[in-house]
Amino acid sequence: MGEPVALAALMLDAALGWPGWLHARIGHPVGGFARIIGAAERRWNREAWSGPVRRWTGLALLLLLLAVGGGAGLALEWAIRRWGGSMAWLWLALAAWPALAQNSLYVHVAPVVRALARGDLDAARQAVARIVGRDTAALDEAGVARAGIESLAESFCDGIVAPLFWLLLLGLPGIWAYKAVNTADSMIGHKEAPYTDFGWAAARFDDLLNWVPARLSGLILCVAGGGGWAVLRRDRRKHASPNAGWPEAAMAGALGIRLAGPIHYDGVLHDKPWIGAGGEADVRGMRTALRIYLRACLLLWVLAAIWENVG
């Protein structure tokens, strides 16, 4: 049997997440990427500079992040393989563990479900505001539930499937290079000013890195949900992102509800198409979505074990 690095990392993440006491003492590795991105954005994304110049500086930041994330992962893997002995696989799993987000995603979505279940819409809005970028102050129950389910589906790809994919393919350099790029995309990969040009390279490269994982995510969610294939085939391209539509369409189809639709960002209505068909999202749908998510995570454990056993 091969080294169960990815499987052990998944188990560690599911059991522990990233403990608060550890975060308080050393922070989180992604925070290091965020500080690099913030510093570069302040220095290299100057309003006086032209769009093409800012695209070049954004590309320079992307290359820097790949060097930092991939380079650190490469150095760490080399050191562990050299000095880790028979327990090297466990040290590798410990080094990969912080890049996964099974526990964190569940912990952030579950409070939305609990607040809706007790009829506290204000608390539900506050809880969902922590995980989505849209305006949440005026959302009704269906709007809150849609936002939570969409975030769960999309983050299943970004936070779990994609880093796991790159870990299995390229080891620690792969998973940490991916996390560096994905952090940049979340911070600066926006179409709106002032990131239109500066964040272009990070956004496009993140799309590339997520291309295969997004499609795997859609397939896995359909298997875990026991259906949704027709909606996945029909609606996977209705999202503005080339990737996010796959897990969202799969989840909408599995639940028999509609997701996406018109959304407010910063007070401006964006008339997005609906994904899926059927009833409105509600607390029951959110509970079912969480169960599908947990089954999908278990399927990833099985797939990781098979990959590593074959490898």
Side-chain angles (χ1 to χ4, degrees), residues 149-158 161 210 213-222 232 236 239 241-254 259 275:
I149 293 170
E150 289 167 28
S151 181
L152 182 68
E154 187 173 349
S155 297
F156 174 67
C157 174
D158 292 354
V161 178
N210 276 298
R215 284 142 185 83
L216 290 174
S217 298
L219 298 178
I220 291 167
L221 286 171
C222 281
L232 177 64
R236 66 189 187 275
H239 201 285
S241 162
N243 297 319
W246 284 78
E248 287 192 21
M251 185 66 86
L259 298 174
I275 293 175

Side-chain angles (χ1 to χ4, degrees), residues 4-23:
V5 174
L7 181 59
L10 285 167
M11 290 179 173
L12 283 167
D13 171 55
L16 303 174
W18 189 245
W21 64 266
L22 191 56
H23 190 279

